């Protein structure tokens, strides 16, 4: 069986800021340990250090057993990547290298045959392929192909040979996550590192994951913000906050109470430290004053100095981390009474024709299983519907979204300006720009602002410390918060949110809910977040049989 030991680990960011210090915990054999904490606190960084992706320059990480890793954006590995690329990225390194060598030599052999080169060159290509095929078999490649076939059949209901060359981008985010999780949980690795494994999963998928984690004999260290999944699966909770981490020995159900009690203890310890420090300082000053005219007290003055110095060198106890204060000011604006009108709208290959009217001020949750067309529906509206109006066109990257094949009509009402939040945060035009630069320069839909105003806006979203950091280097939660800020600044009157809470910590999700409650406009959100869904008043269900219906209450898994 496998385990992970993290001992006194620290990490310093490239700009010199200390992100983590003295982090210690153990993932025992068969344990399910959850990493929780605010966005940007260092959870993903810690996982990357355990995985070996980042060097451990302070402290140590010890592991036993094979290691399987699922990163936060598991499928975001390039538009032309195939399911075979995804599968090979999740197997042990030696097997991965053998698989890629096999693919390369096979491609070279077919290219040589297609060019009609001389027999010597073709023979060399065939020999290289034969050697790679033998190495693939020796290292366990055929057993891996059996596993790939099993997972493809379970997740996609098709054999591996039929889907291995399928582009990853043609799978929904939930299908990508389910494929990766099935492969890792059925694989031979004894230790799994899972970064937000529940993201993109529908509610039945989350329930499936809860069951599989509970029954698995593997040792699992995972990051999640889904409170129900945490409550059902975590044996212990490691909280990353305030630049370090602490371990709650119970499950998530008692974690909040334990955190409140811990903060109270830290406050009391700091108060007592301050009182003792003040007493020692006053004693030292008293002896200093008396020693000035009484040499017999010089030794006591020196002793008081030594005692104060040692007390200060030991340092004060840590203070409780500052609670997040995120203020999202989603303004919106008045539009026509009818915000969205769909008439016999049919998403090709996904839904039957349906009619739908959304009114100004509606809060609509779009529910349904993965792959039923929910994200396609949001993308169509984000592009302005079937016949977009250039005067109120899409904002903040929505115009670059791929067209959505459909029949029927989807149109936006008067003065409705859509703003789109993508579940995958796919904004390549932002990746290499700093947050201040993005806000300063603006774009064709949004005027820029000076640095002072930009830092003020970032501060409201608890992102001031990341102002000079590139968007592509932010954590998933920080990216999500910044994309909401761009929506705030865009002037959108129709918010189209695709899984907005997936990467948000609890404080950020609550801030988003408060911001949406104050938003003067219409909100349409695709979500599998059972807690978040309770804040909506209309529910549109994309059924697995292609029907789109409105339901009076949330419906899951139909």
């Amino acid at each position: 069986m496998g385990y992970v030991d993290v001992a006194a680990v620290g990490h310093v960011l490239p700009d010199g800021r200390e992100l983590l210090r003295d982090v210690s915990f153990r993932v025992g054999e068969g344990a399910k340990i959850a990493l929780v904490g605010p966005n940007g606190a260092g959870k993903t960084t810690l996982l990357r250090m355990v995985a070996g992706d980042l060097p451990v320059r302070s402290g140590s990480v010890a592991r036993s057993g094979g290691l399987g890793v699922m990163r936060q954006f598991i499928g975001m590995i390039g538009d032309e990547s195939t399911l075979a690329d995804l599968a090979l990225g999740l197997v042990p390194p030696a097997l991965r290298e053998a698989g890629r060598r096999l693919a390369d030599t096979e491609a070279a052999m077919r290219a040589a045959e297609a060019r009609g080169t001389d027999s010597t060159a073709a023979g060399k290509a065939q020999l290289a392929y034969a050697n790679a095929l033998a190495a693939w078999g020796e290292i366990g490649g055929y057993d891996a192909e059996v596993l790939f076939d099993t997972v493809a059949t379970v997740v996609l209901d098709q054999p591996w040979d039929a889907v291995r060359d399928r582009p990853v981008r043609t799978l929904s985010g939930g299908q990508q996550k389910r494929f990766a999780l099935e492969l890792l949980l059925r694989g031979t690795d004894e230790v799994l590192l899972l970064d937000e494994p529940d993201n993109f999963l529908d509610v039945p998928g989350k329930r499936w994951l809860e069951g599989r984690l509970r029954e698995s004999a593997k040792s699992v260290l995972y990051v999640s913000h889904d409170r129900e999944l945490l409550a059902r699966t975590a044996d212990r909770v490691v909280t990353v906050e305030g630049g370090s981490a602490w371990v709650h020995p119970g499950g998530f159900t008692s974690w909040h109470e334990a955190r409140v009690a811990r903060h109270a203890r830290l406050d009391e310890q700091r108060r007592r430290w301050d009182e003792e420090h003040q007493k020692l300082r006053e004693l030292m000053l008293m002896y200093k004053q008396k020693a000035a005219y009484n040499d017999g007290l010089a030794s006591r003055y020196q002793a008081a100095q030594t005692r104060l110095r040692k007390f200060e060198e030991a340092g004060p106890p840590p203070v409780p981390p500052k609670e997040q204060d995120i203020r999202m000011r989603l303004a919106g604006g008045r539009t026509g009474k009818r915000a969205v009108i769909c008439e016999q709208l049919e998403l090709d290959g996904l839904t039957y024709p349906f009619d739908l009217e959304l009114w100004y001020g509606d809060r609509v949750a779009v529910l349904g299983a993965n792959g039923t067309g929910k994200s396609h529906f949001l993308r169509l509206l984000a592009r302005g519907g079937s016949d977009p109006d250039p005067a109120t066109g899409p904002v903040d990257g929505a115009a670059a979204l791929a067209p959505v094949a459909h029949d029927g009509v989807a149109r936006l009402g008067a003065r409705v300006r859509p703003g789109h939040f993508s579940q995958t945060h796919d904004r390549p035009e932002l990746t290499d720009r700093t947050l201040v630069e993005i806000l300063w320069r603006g774009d064709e839909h949004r005027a820029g602002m000076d640095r002072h105003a930009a830092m003020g806006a970032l501060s409201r979203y608890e992102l001031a410390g990341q102002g000079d950091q590139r968007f592509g280097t932010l954590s998933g939660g920080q990216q999500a918060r910044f994309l909401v800020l761009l929506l705030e600044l865009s002037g959108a009157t129709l918010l189209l949110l695709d899984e907005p809470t997936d990467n948000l910590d609890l404080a950020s999700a609550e801030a988003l809910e408060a911001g949406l409650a104050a938003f003067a406009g219409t909100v349409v959100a695709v979500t599998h977040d059972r807690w978040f869904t309770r804040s909506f008043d209309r529910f549109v269900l994309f059924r697995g049989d292609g029907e789109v219906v409105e339901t009076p209450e949330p419906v899951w898994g139909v």
Side-chain angles (χ1 to χ4, degrees), residues 178 181 198 201-210 229 370:
R178 182 69 180 269
L181 287 167
D198 53 289
L201 293 181
D202 53 23
V203 172
K206 291 185 179 186
R207 289 171 176 163
W208 164 84
L209 176 59
E210 291 165 1
L229 183 140
N370 290 325

Side-chain angles (χ1 to χ4, degrees), residues 378-402 412 416-421 427 429 443-446 486-487 490-494 496:
L378 251 62
R379 291 211 321 269
L380 177 61
L381 298 183
R383 289 175 58 85
S386 304
D387 187 18
D389 181 355
T392 58
V395 296
D396 276 319
L401 292 172
L412 306 183
V416 172
R417 192 176 188 203
H420 182 253
F421 178 101
R427 297 292 298 275
E429 78 280 11
D443 54 35
E444 66 269 28
H445 301 295
R446 172 176 42 80
L486 293 185
L487 287 182
S490 71
T493 56
L494 168 65
L496 303 165

